[in-house]
Amino acid sequence: AAGASVSILVRNAARASEVTSMLHGPHLVVTADVTNRDVLQSACREAAAEMGPIDILVNNAGTAISAPF
């Protein structure tokens, strides 16, 4: 959204450049493993400290467990 400050949480910061190249406002890239609760909480604190409180959260992370049916 126009005027929004955006924090992006990624596993690989180098791959975030494709997304950040489309952003025209303030943004922050934070590297974290979302499967590690402590790391995730630290990353959220970092984003809030840098960019201010989180008003909108879009979760696009997931894990997969491969097993036979």
Side-chain angles (χ1 to χ4, degrees):
S5 297
V6 178
S7 297
I8 301 171
L9 190 105
V10 297
R11 287 183 293 175
N12 182 332
R15 296 182 67 194
S17 63
E18 183 179 335
V19 173
T20 58
S21 69
M22 295 184 277
L23 300 174
H24 300 289
H27 62 276
L28 172 71
V29 176
V30 180
T31 304
D33 176 0
V34 298
T35 64
N36 183 318
R37 182 181 296 258
D38 293 334
V39 171
L40 182 57
Q41 288 175 339
S42 177
C44 289
R45 283 192 295 273
E46 179 183 346
E50 286 281 326
M51 305 299 280
I54 298 170
D55 294 321
I56 299 170
L57 175 67
V58 177
N59 181 13
N60 189 31
T63 60
I65 299 172
S66 180
F69 287 101

